[in-house]
Structure formats: C-alpha cells, structure tokens
Amino acid sequence: QVQLVESGGGSVQAGGSLRLSCAASGYTYSPDCVGWFRQGPGKEREGVAAIYIGGGSTYYADSVKGRFTISRDNAKGMVYLQMNSLKPEDTAMYYCATLRTTATICSMMRSGLFTYWGQGTQVTVSS
C-alpha cells in the first residue's frame, strides 16, 4: 500500500525558512514525478514544485522561484522542499503527491493528474 507522509511544517515569521519532507513507501514501481502542492484558506490547490525522479529535473511555480528548492534522496525514498524567505502568502497546507508520467507532464504540476497524496503539513507564516 502506497503511503506518503509529510513532515516539517510549522509556524515561522516572514523571512524565515522551513524544510518539508515527504517520505514515500509501499511502491511496487517507483514514481516518476513527485510534486509539492499547497492549499491556502479559501484558495484552490496549486502546484508549488515538482521533481522528475529519473533525470532530476525540477520545476517551480513562479511565485516560489528563487525561494523554494525541491530535492530528493532516492536511497531514502525522500523528497524535500526547502523554503526560504517565506512570506505570509505562503501560508497553506502543503501536500506531496506522486505520479508515474513523463517529464513534460510532471512539469505542468496539474494536481488532478497526481495519483497518490499525503495528508499534508501546515505551514503558517506571520508578518
């Protein structure tokens, strides 16, 4: 049974940093694409960052480019999201999700295509 577990969320002041972790287990075949998504209060879920496991290509939403970094540790089955220079508008529940797909589809970060989802970890940024 596939399981994704996020951790690392918390409350920080604007300008601070957090590192989110996504632990994946139970896969028969490793996913090709791992994405981080977020959903703020009253907002739709949006793609934040994604990584294509095979080639290591990374993709980012414009709103987080230069501030967030997605990375993976294949040996540990972990994907990370380093978030720096956090802003109040980054406040949201953050989810990791996986998909078996191509790099092109991965780069689109369309939440409706992702197969497996974690329960989320809350990030709150105060001004």
Side-chain angles (χ1 to χ4, degrees), residues 27-91:
Y27 284 98
T28 300
Y29 298 99
S30 297
D32 302 302
C33 175
V34 180
W36 281 99
F37 296 81
R38 66 185 181 187
Q39 188 166 16
K43 298 181 180 180
E44 293 187 355
R45 188 171 295 186
E46 63 172 342
V48 174
I51 185 166
Y52 191 67
I53 299 298
S57 296
T58 56
Y59 315 99
Y60 297 94
D62 288 343
S63 58
V64 306
K65 280 181 182 177
R67 300 189 298 122
F68 291 11
T69 302
I70 188 171
S71 62
R72 93 273 198 204
D73 184 331
N74 290 343
K76 295 182 178 180
M78 299 289 293
V79 172
Y80 306 99
L81 186 67
Q82 178 66 44
M83 306 187 297
N84 299 328
S85 302
L86 283 162
K87 304 175 181 179
E89 50 263 44
D90 295 318
T91 294

Short mmCIF file of all heavy atoms in Angstrom, two decimals, residues 27-91:
data_model
loop_
_atom_site.label_atom_id
_atom_site.label_comp_id
_atom_site.label_asym_id
_atom_site.label_seq_id
_atom_site.Cartn_x
_atom_site.Cartn_y
_atom_site.Cartn_z
N TYR A 27 5.68 1.41 -2.69
CA TYR A 27 5.60 1.38 -4.15
C TYR A 27 6.13 0.09 -4.71
O TYR A 27 7.19 -0.39 -4.31
CB TYR A 27 6.40 2.54 -4.74
CG TYR A 27 5.73 3.88 -4.62
CD1 TYR A 27 6.08 4.75 -3.60
CD2 TYR A 27 4.75 4.27 -5.52
CE1 TYR A 27 5.48 5.99 -3.48
CE2 TYR A 27 4.14 5.50 -5.41
CZ TYR A 27 4.50 6.35 -4.39
OH TYR A 27 3.90 7.57 -4.28
N THR A 28 5.39 -0.46 -5.66
CA THR A 28 5.91 -1.58 -6.43
C THR A 28 6.87 -1.05 -7.49
O THR A 28 7.93 -1.62 -7.73
CB THR A 28 4.77 -2.34 -7.11
OG1 THR A 28 3.88 -2.83 -6.10
CG2 THR A 28 5.31 -3.49 -7.93
N TYR A 29 6.47 0.02 -8.13
CA TYR A 29 7.31 0.72 -9.09
C TYR A 29 7.48 2.15 -8.62
O TYR A 29 6.51 2.80 -8.27
CB TYR A 29 6.67 0.72 -10.48
CG TYR A 29 6.49 -0.66 -11.05
CD1 TYR A 29 5.26 -1.29 -10.99
CD2 TYR A 29 7.55 -1.32 -11.65
CE1 TYR A 29 5.08 -2.56 -11.50
CE2 TYR A 29 7.38 -2.60 -12.16
CZ TYR A 29 6.15 -3.21 -12.09
OH TYR A 29 5.99 -4.47 -12.60
N SER A 30 8.68 2.65 -8.61
CA SER A 30 8.94 4.00 -8.11
C SER A 30 8.22 5.02 -8.97
O SER A 30 8.15 4.86 -10.20
CB SER A 30 10.44 4.29 -8.12
OG SER A 30 11.12 3.42 -7.25
N PRO A 31 7.70 6.05 -8.37
CA PRO A 31 7.04 7.11 -9.14
C PRO A 31 8.05 7.86 -9.99
O PRO A 31 9.22 7.95 -9.64
CB PRO A 31 6.43 8.01 -8.07
CG PRO A 31 7.29 7.80 -6.88
CD PRO A 31 7.72 6.37 -6.93
N ASP A 32 7.59 8.44 -11.07
CA ASP A 32 8.45 9.23 -11.93
C ASP A 32 8.52 10.68 -11.47
O ASP A 32 9.53 11.35 -11.66
CB ASP A 32 7.92 9.21 -13.37
CG ASP A 32 7.82 7.82 -13.92
OD1 ASP A 32 8.85 7.12 -13.96
OD2 ASP A 32 6.70 7.43 -14.29
N CYS A 33 7.45 11.14 -10.89
CA CYS A 33 7.32 12.56 -10.59
C CYS A 33 6.78 12.71 -9.17
O CYS A 33 5.82 12.04 -8.78
CB CYS A 33 6.35 13.20 -11.59
SG CYS A 33 5.94 14.92 -11.29
N VAL A 34 7.41 13.58 -8.41
CA VAL A 34 6.93 13.93 -7.08
C VAL A 34 6.69 15.43 -7.05
O VAL A 34 7.58 16.20 -7.43
CB VAL A 34 7.92 13.53 -5.99
CG1 VAL A 34 7.36 13.92 -4.61
CG2 VAL A 34 8.20 12.04 -6.04
N GLY A 35 5.52 15.81 -6.62
CA GLY A 35 5.18 17.23 -6.58
C GLY A 35 4.81 17.67 -5.19
O GLY A 35 4.36 16.89 -4.36
N TRP A 36 5.05 18.94 -4.95
CA TRP A 36 4.56 19.60 -3.74
C TRP A 36 3.45 20.55 -4.15
O TRP A 36 3.63 21.35 -5.08
CB TRP A 36 5.67 20.38 -3.04
CG TRP A 36 6.60 19.52 -2.24
CD1 TRP A 36 7.83 19.06 -2.61
CD2 TRP A 36 6.38 19.04 -0.91
NE1 TRP A 36 8.38 18.32 -1.61
CE2 TRP A 36 7.51 18.29 -0.55
CE3 TRP A 36 5.34 19.16 0.01
CZ2 TRP A 36 7.64 17.67 0.69
CZ3 TRP A 36 5.45 18.54 1.24
CH2 TRP A 36 6.59 17.80 1.58
N PHE A 37 2.36 20.48 -3.44
CA PHE A 37 1.22 21.34 -3.70
C PHE A 37 0.84 22.04 -2.40
O PHE A 37 1.22 21.61 -1.32
CB PHE A 37 0.03 20.52 -4.20
CG PHE A 37 0.28 19.86 -5.52
CD1 PHE A 37 0.98 18.67 -5.60
CD2 PHE A 37 -0.18 20.43 -6.69
CE1 PHE A 37 1.24 18.06 -6.83
CE2 PHE A 37 0.05 19.84 -7.92
CZ PHE A 37 0.77 18.66 -7.98
N ARG A 38 0.08 23.11 -2.52
CA ARG A 38 -0.40 23.78 -1.31
C ARG A 38 -1.81 24.29 -1.54
O ARG A 38 -2.23 24.55 -2.67
CB ARG A 38 0.52 24.93 -0.93
CG ARG A 38 0.56 26.10 -1.91
CD ARG A 38 1.60 27.11 -1.48
NE ARG A 38 1.65 28.27 -2.38
CZ ARG A 38 2.57 29.22 -2.29
NH1 ARG A 38 3.53 29.16 -1.35
NH2 ARG A 38 2.54 30.24 -3.13
N GLN A 39 -2.51 24.41 -0.44
CA GLN A 39 -3.85 24.97 -0.47
C GLN A 39 -4.04 25.88 0.72
O GLN A 39 -4.04 25.42 1.87
CB GLN A 39 -4.91 23.86 -0.48
CG GLN A 39 -6.31 24.38 -0.71
CD GLN A 39 -7.28 23.27 -1.05
OE1 GLN A 39 -7.01 22.09 -0.84
NE2 GLN A 39 -8.42 23.65 -1.60
N GLY A 40 -4.14 27.17 0.43
CA GLY A 40 -4.36 28.15 1.47
C GLY A 40 -5.83 28.33 1.75
O GLY A 40 -6.68 27.84 1.00
N PRO A 41 -6.15 29.03 2.83
CA PRO A 41 -7.55 29.26 3.19
C PRO A 41 -8.33 29.94 2.06
O PRO A 41 -7.91 30.99 1.57
CB PRO A 41 -7.45 30.18 4.41
CG PRO A 41 -6.08 29.96 4.95
CD PRO A 41 -5.22 29.66 3.78
N GLY A 42 -9.40 29.32 1.64
CA GLY A 42 -10.23 29.89 0.60
C GLY A 42 -9.63 29.87 -0.79
O GLY A 42 -10.12 30.55 -1.70
N LYS A 43 -8.54 29.12 -0.96
CA LYS A 43 -7.87 29.09 -2.26
C LYS A 43 -7.90 27.69 -2.84
O LYS A 43 -8.10 26.70 -2.12
CB LYS A 43 -6.41 29.55 -2.10
CG LYS A 43 -6.25 30.97 -1.62
CD LYS A 43 -4.77 31.34 -1.54
CE LYS A 43 -4.58 32.76 -1.06
NZ LYS A 43 -3.13 33.12 -0.97
N GLU A 44 -7.69 27.62 -4.13
CA GLU A 44 -7.59 26.33 -4.79
C GLU A 44 -6.20 25.74 -4.57
O GLU A 44 -5.23 26.46 -4.31
CB GLU A 44 -7.85 26.49 -6.30
CG GLU A 44 -9.28 26.89 -6.62
CD GLU A 44 -9.52 26.87 -8.12
OE1 GLU A 44 -8.58 26.65 -8.89
OE2 GLU A 44 -10.68 27.09 -8.52
N ARG A 45 -6.14 24.43 -4.67
CA ARG A 45 -4.84 23.78 -4.54
C ARG A 45 -3.98 24.16 -5.74
O ARG A 45 -4.44 24.16 -6.87
CB ARG A 45 -5.03 22.27 -4.49
CG ARG A 45 -3.77 21.51 -4.17
CD ARG A 45 -4.08 20.05 -3.91
NE ARG A 45 -4.89 19.88 -2.71
CZ ARG A 45 -5.19 18.70 -2.19
NH1 ARG A 45 -4.76 17.58 -2.77
NH2 ARG A 45 -5.93 18.61 -1.11
N GLU A 46 -2.72 24.48 -5.48
CA GLU A 46 -1.81 24.88 -6.55
C GLU A 46 -0.49 24.12 -6.45
O GLU A 46 -0.03 23.77 -5.37
CB GLU A 46 -1.53 26.39 -6.49
CG GLU A 46 -0.83 26.85 -5.23
CD GLU A 46 -0.41 28.31 -5.29
OE1 GLU A 46 -0.34 28.89 -6.39
OE2 GLU A 46 -0.15 28.88 -4.20
N GLY A 47 0.09 23.90 -7.61
CA GLY A 47 1.40 23.26 -7.66
C GLY A 47 2.48 24.24 -7.26
O GLY A 47 2.48 25.39 -7.71
N VAL A 48 3.39 23.81 -6.43
CA VAL A 48 4.47 24.64 -5.93
C VAL A 48 5.79 24.26 -6.59
O VAL A 48 6.51 25.11 -7.10
CB VAL A 48 4.58 24.52 -4.40
CG1 VAL A 48 5.80 25.28 -3.90
CG2 VAL A 48 3.31 25.03 -3.74
N ALA A 49 6.08 22.97 -6.58
CA ALA A 49 7.33 22.47 -7.14
C ALA A 49 7.17 21.00 -7.46
O ALA A 49 6.34 20.31 -6.86
CB ALA A 49 8.49 22.66 -6.16
N ALA A 50 7.97 20.55 -8.40
CA ALA A 50 7.95 19.13 -8.76
C ALA A 50 9.33 18.71 -9.21
O ALA A 50 10.13 19.54 -9.66
CB ALA A 50 6.93 18.87 -9.87
N ILE A 51 9.59 17.43 -9.06
CA ILE A 51 10.88 16.88 -9.48
C ILE A 51 10.64 15.61 -10.27
O ILE A 51 9.82 14.76 -9.87
CB ILE A 51 11.81 16.64 -8.27
CG1 ILE A 51 13.19 16.19 -8.73
CG2 ILE A 51 11.20 15.66 -7.28
CD1 ILE A 51 14.24 16.28 -7.61
N TYR A 52 11.31 15.50 -11.42
CA TYR A 52 11.23 14.30 -12.23
C TYR A 52 12.37 13.41 -11.77
O TYR A 52 13.55 13.73 -11.95
CB TYR A 52 11.36 14.65 -13.71
CG TYR A 52 11.04 13.50 -14.61
CD1 TYR A 52 9.74 13.01 -14.68
CD2 TYR A 52 12.02 12.90 -15.38
CE1 TYR A 52 9.43 11.94 -15.50
CE2 TYR A 52 11.72 11.84 -16.21
CZ TYR A 52 10.43 11.36 -16.26
OH TYR A 52 10.12 10.30 -17.08
N ILE A 53 12.01 12.30 -11.14
CA ILE A 53 12.98 11.48 -10.44
C ILE A 53 14.09 10.97 -11.36
O ILE A 53 15.26 11.00 -11.01
CB ILE A 53 12.29 10.30 -9.74
CG1 ILE A 53 11.27 10.81 -8.71
CG2 ILE A 53 13.30 9.38 -9.08
CD1 ILE A 53 11.86 11.62 -7.60
N GLY A 54 13.73 10.53 -12.55
CA GLY A 54 14.71 9.92 -13.43
C GLY A 54 15.86 10.83 -13.78
O GLY A 54 17.02 10.48 -13.63
N GLY A 55 15.56 12.02 -14.26
CA GLY A 55 16.62 12.92 -14.68
C GLY A 55 16.96 13.99 -13.67
O GLY A 55 17.94 14.71 -13.83
N GLY A 56 16.13 14.11 -12.64
CA GLY A 56 16.39 15.11 -11.62
C GLY A 56 15.92 16.50 -11.99
O GLY A 56 16.18 17.46 -11.25
N SER A 57 15.21 16.65 -13.11
CA SER A 57 14.73 17.97 -13.49
C SER A 57 13.73 18.48 -12.45
O SER A 57 12.95 17.73 -11.91
CB SER A 57 14.04 17.92 -14.85
OG SER A 57 14.95 17.55 -15.86
N THR A 58 13.82 19.78 -12.20
CA THR A 58 12.93 20.39 -11.21
C THR A 58 12.11 21.50 -11.85
O THR A 58 12.54 22.13 -12.83
CB THR A 58 13.74 20.97 -10.04
OG1 THR A 58 14.70 21.90 -10.54
CG2 THR A 58 14.45 19.87 -9.29
N TYR A 59 10.94 21.73 -11.30
CA TYR A 59 10.00 22.70 -11.83
C TYR A 59 9.40 23.48 -10.67
O TYR A 59 9.17 22.92 -9.60
CB TYR A 59 8.89 21.99 -12.62
CG TYR A 59 9.42 20.91 -13.54
CD1 TYR A 59 9.37 19.57 -13.16
CD2 TYR A 59 9.99 21.24 -14.76
CE1 TYR A 59 9.89 18.58 -13.98
CE2 TYR A 59 10.50 20.26 -15.59
CZ TYR A 59 10.44 18.93 -15.19
OH TYR A 59 10.95 17.96 -16.01
N TYR A 60 9.15 24.77 -10.90
CA TYR A 60 8.66 25.62 -9.83
C TYR A 60 7.56 26.55 -10.32
O TYR A 60 7.59 27.01 -11.47
CB TYR A 60 9.79 26.47 -9.27
CG TYR A 60 10.90 25.67 -8.64
CD1 TYR A 60 12.03 25.32 -9.37
CD2 TYR A 60 10.81 25.25 -7.31
CE1 TYR A 60 13.04 24.57 -8.81
CE2 TYR A 60 11.82 24.50 -6.73
CZ TYR A 60 12.93 24.15 -7.49
OH TYR A 60 13.93 23.41 -6.93
N ALA A 61 6.63 26.83 -9.43
CA ALA A 61 5.68 27.89 -9.71
C ALA A 61 6.41 29.23 -9.66
O ALA A 61 7.38 29.38 -8.91
CB ALA A 61 4.56 27.87 -8.67
N ASP A 62 5.95 30.18 -10.45
CA ASP A 62 6.61 31.48 -10.50
C ASP A 62 6.65 32.13 -9.12
O ASP A 62 7.62 32.84 -8.79
CB ASP A 62 5.87 32.40 -11.46
CG ASP A 62 6.09 32.00 -12.91
OD1 ASP A 62 7.04 31.25 -13.19
OD2 ASP A 62 5.30 32.45 -13.77
N SER A 63 5.65 31.89 -8.32
CA SER A 63 5.55 32.55 -7.02
C SER A 63 6.61 32.09 -6.03
O SER A 63 6.84 32.76 -5.02
CB SER A 63 4.16 32.31 -6.42
OG SER A 63 3.91 30.92 -6.28
N VAL A 64 7.27 30.97 -6.30
CA VAL A 64 8.26 30.45 -5.35
C VAL A 64 9.66 30.33 -5.96
O VAL A 64 10.61 29.97 -5.25
CB VAL A 64 7.84 29.08 -4.78
CG1 VAL A 64 6.45 29.17 -4.17
CG2 VAL A 64 7.92 27.99 -5.83
N LYS A 65 9.80 30.63 -7.22
CA LYS A 65 11.12 30.54 -7.87
C LYS A 65 12.13 31.41 -7.14
O LYS A 65 11.85 32.57 -6.82
CB LYS A 65 11.03 30.96 -9.33
CG LYS A 65 10.50 29.88 -10.24
CD LYS A 65 10.45 30.36 -11.69
CE LYS A 65 9.88 29.28 -12.60
NZ LYS A 65 9.76 29.76 -14.01
N GLY A 66 13.29 30.84 -6.92
CA GLY A 66 14.34 31.57 -6.23
C GLY A 66 14.25 31.49 -4.72
O GLY A 66 15.19 31.89 -4.02
N ARG A 67 13.13 31.00 -4.20
CA ARG A 67 12.95 30.89 -2.76
C ARG A 67 12.84 29.44 -2.30
O ARG A 67 13.30 29.10 -1.20
CB ARG A 67 11.71 31.65 -2.31
CG ARG A 67 11.73 33.13 -2.64
CD ARG A 67 10.57 33.87 -1.99
NE ARG A 67 9.27 33.40 -2.46
CZ ARG A 67 8.33 32.92 -1.66
NH1 ARG A 67 8.54 32.83 -0.34
NH2 ARG A 67 7.16 32.54 -2.16
N PHE A 68 12.21 28.60 -3.09
CA PHE A 68 11.99 27.20 -2.74
C PHE A 68 12.89 26.31 -3.58
O PHE A 68 13.15 26.61 -4.76
CB PHE A 68 10.54 26.79 -2.98
CG PHE A 68 9.53 27.41 -2.04
CD1 PHE A 68 9.86 28.46 -1.19
CD2 PHE A 68 8.23 26.94 -2.02
CE1 PHE A 68 8.94 29.02 -0.34
CE2 PHE A 68 7.28 27.49 -1.18
CZ PHE A 68 7.64 28.53 -0.34
N THR A 69 13.34 25.21 -2.99
CA THR A 69 14.14 24.23 -3.70
C THR A 69 13.63 22.83 -3.40
O THR A 69 13.52 22.46 -2.22
CB THR A 69 15.62 24.33 -3.30
OG1 THR A 69 16.10 25.66 -3.55
CG2 THR A 69 16.45 23.34 -4.11
N ILE A 70 13.33 22.09 -4.44
CA ILE A 70 12.91 20.69 -4.28
C ILE A 70 14.10 19.79 -4.56
O ILE A 70 14.90 20.06 -5.46
CB ILE A 70 11.71 20.36 -5.20
CG1 ILE A 70 11.14 18.99 -4.88
CG2 ILE A 70 12.09 20.48 -6.67
CD1 ILE A 70 9.82 18.70 -5.59
N SER A 71 14.23 18.75 -3.76
CA SER A 71 15.33 17.80 -3.94
C SER A 71 14.86 16.42 -3.53
O SER A 71 13.81 16.26 -2.91
CB SER A 71 16.54 18.24 -3.12
OG SER A 71 16.23 18.25 -1.73
N ARG A 72 15.67 15.42 -3.87
CA ARG A 72 15.29 14.06 -3.50
C ARG A 72 16.50 13.26 -3.04
O ARG A 72 17.63 13.57 -3.39
CB ARG A 72 14.58 13.35 -4.65
CG ARG A 72 15.45 12.51 -5.58
CD ARG A 72 16.04 13.30 -6.67
NE ARG A 72 16.50 12.43 -7.76
CZ ARG A 72 17.44 12.76 -8.63
NH1 ARG A 72 18.04 13.93 -8.53
NH2 ARG A 72 17.79 11.94 -9.60
N ASP A 73 16.21 12.27 -2.23
CA ASP A 73 17.21 11.30 -1.80
C ASP A 73 16.63 9.94 -2.15
O ASP A 73 15.81 9.40 -1.41
CB ASP A 73 17.47 11.43 -0.30
CG ASP A 73 18.58 10.51 0.17
OD1 ASP A 73 18.77 9.44 -0.43
OD2 ASP A 73 19.24 10.85 1.16
N ASN A 74 17.03 9.43 -3.31
CA ASN A 74 16.43 8.20 -3.80
C ASN A 74 16.67 7.03 -2.85
O ASN A 74 15.80 6.18 -2.66
CB ASN A 74 16.98 7.86 -5.19
CG ASN A 74 16.48 8.83 -6.24
OD1 ASN A 74 15.51 9.54 -6.04
ND2 ASN A 74 17.17 8.87 -7.37
N ALA A 75 17.84 6.99 -2.26
CA ALA A 75 18.17 5.87 -1.38
C ALA A 75 17.24 5.82 -0.17
O ALA A 75 16.91 4.73 0.33
CB ALA A 75 19.62 5.98 -0.92
N LYS A 76 16.83 6.97 0.29
CA LYS A 76 15.97 7.04 1.47
C LYS A 76 14.49 7.11 1.10
O LYS A 76 13.63 7.06 1.99
CB LYS A 76 16.34 8.25 2.33
CG LYS A 76 17.73 8.18 2.94
CD LYS A 76 17.99 9.40 3.82
CE LYS A 76 19.36 9.32 4.49
NZ LYS A 76 19.64 10.50 5.35
N GLY A 77 14.21 7.27 -0.18
CA GLY A 77 12.80 7.41 -0.57
C GLY A 77 12.20 8.71 -0.08
O GLY A 77 11.02 8.76 0.28
N MET A 78 13.00 9.76 -0.06
CA MET A 78 12.56 11.04 0.49
C MET A 78 12.62 12.13 -0.58
O MET A 78 13.50 12.14 -1.43
CB MET A 78 13.46 11.47 1.65
CG MET A 78 13.48 10.51 2.82
SD MET A 78 11.93 10.53 3.75
CE MET A 78 11.96 12.18 4.43
N VAL A 79 11.68 13.03 -0.50
CA VAL A 79 11.72 14.26 -1.29
C VAL A 79 11.55 15.42 -0.32
O VAL A 79 10.74 15.35 0.60
CB VAL A 79 10.62 14.26 -2.36
CG1 VAL A 79 10.54 15.62 -3.05
CG2 VAL A 79 10.88 13.17 -3.40
N TYR A 80 12.32 16.48 -0.57
CA TYR A 80 12.34 17.61 0.34
C TYR A 80 11.90 18.89 -0.38
O TYR A 80 12.07 19.02 -1.59
CB TYR A 80 13.74 17.81 0.91
CG TYR A 80 14.30 16.59 1.57
CD1 TYR A 80 15.20 15.76 0.88
CD2 TYR A 80 13.95 16.25 2.87
CE1 TYR A 80 15.72 14.63 1.47
CE2 TYR A 80 14.47 15.12 3.47
CZ TYR A 80 15.35 14.32 2.77
OH TYR A 80 15.86 13.19 3.36
N LEU A 81 11.40 19.81 0.39
CA LEU A 81 11.11 21.15 -0.12
C LEU A 81 11.70 22.15 0.86
O LEU A 81 11.19 22.33 1.96
CB LEU A 81 9.60 21.39 -0.27
CG LEU A 81 9.22 22.72 -0.92
CD1 LEU A 81 9.66 22.74 -2.39
CD2 LEU A 81 7.73 22.98 -0.81
N GLN A 82 12.82 22.73 0.46
CA GLN A 82 13.45 23.78 1.26
C GLN A 82 12.79 25.10 0.91
O GLN A 82 12.79 25.51 -0.25
CB GLN A 82 14.95 23.85 0.96
CG GLN A 82 15.68 24.94 1.72
CD GLN A 82 15.71 24.71 3.22
OE1 GLN A 82 15.95 23.60 3.67
NE2 GLN A 82 15.46 25.76 3.99
N MET A 83 12.25 25.75 1.92
CA MET A 83 11.52 27.00 1.71
C MET A 83 12.23 28.12 2.45
O MET A 83 12.30 28.09 3.69
CB MET A 83 10.07 26.86 2.19
CG MET A 83 9.33 25.68 1.58
SD MET A 83 7.58 25.64 2.01
CE MET A 83 7.68 25.43 3.77
N ASN A 84 12.74 29.07 1.71
CA ASN A 84 13.44 30.22 2.29
C ASN A 84 12.67 31.50 1.99
O ASN A 84 11.79 31.53 1.12
CB ASN A 84 14.85 30.32 1.71
CG ASN A 84 15.70 29.11 2.01
OD1 ASN A 84 15.56 28.48 3.06
ND2 ASN A 84 16.60 28.79 1.10
N SER A 85 13.02 32.54 2.71
CA SER A 85 12.38 33.86 2.51
C SER A 85 10.86 33.73 2.48
O SER A 85 10.18 34.27 1.60
CB SER A 85 12.88 34.49 1.20
OG SER A 85 14.28 34.63 1.21
N LEU A 86 10.35 33.04 3.45
CA LEU A 86 8.91 32.78 3.48
C LEU A 86 8.11 34.07 3.65
O LEU A 86 8.55 35.01 4.33
CB LEU A 86 8.57 31.79 4.59
CG LEU A 86 8.91 30.34 4.26
CD1 LEU A 86 8.99 29.49 5.52
CD2 LEU A 86 7.89 29.76 3.29
N LYS A 87 6.95 34.08 3.02
CA LYS A 87 6.05 35.22 3.06
C LYS A 87 4.71 34.80 3.65
O LYS A 87 4.35 33.61 3.59
CB LYS A 87 5.82 35.74 1.63
CG LYS A 87 7.08 36.11 0.88
CD LYS A 87 6.75 36.50 -0.55
CE LYS A 87 8.00 36.86 -1.33
NZ LYS A 87 7.69 37.23 -2.74
N PRO A 88 3.96 35.74 4.19
CA PRO A 88 2.63 35.38 4.72
C PRO A 88 1.75 34.67 3.69
O PRO A 88 0.96 33.79 4.05
CB PRO A 88 2.04 36.73 5.13
CG PRO A 88 3.24 37.55 5.49
CD PRO A 88 4.30 37.13 4.51
N GLU A 89 1.90 35.02 2.43
CA GLU A 89 1.09 34.38 1.39
C GLU A 89 1.49 32.94 1.12
O GLU A 89 0.81 32.24 0.36
CB GLU A 89 1.12 35.19 0.08
CG GLU A 89 2.51 35.55 -0.39
CD GLU A 89 2.92 36.96 0.03
OE1 GLU A 89 2.68 37.35 1.20
OE2 GLU A 89 3.50 37.68 -0.83
N ASP A 90 2.57 32.47 1.73
CA ASP A 90 2.96 31.07 1.62
C ASP A 90 2.19 30.21 2.62
O ASP A 90 2.30 28.97 2.60
CB ASP A 90 4.46 30.89 1.86
CG ASP A 90 5.30 31.54 0.79
OD1 ASP A 90 4.95 31.44 -0.40
OD2 ASP A 90 6.33 32.17 1.14
N THR A 91 1.44 30.84 3.50
CA THR A 91 0.66 30.10 4.49
C THR A 91 -0.33 29.17 3.80
O THR A 91 -1.13 29.61 2.96
CB THR A 91 -0.09 31.07 5.41
OG1 THR A 91 0.86 31.80 6.19
CG2 THR A 91 -1.03 30.32 6.34
#
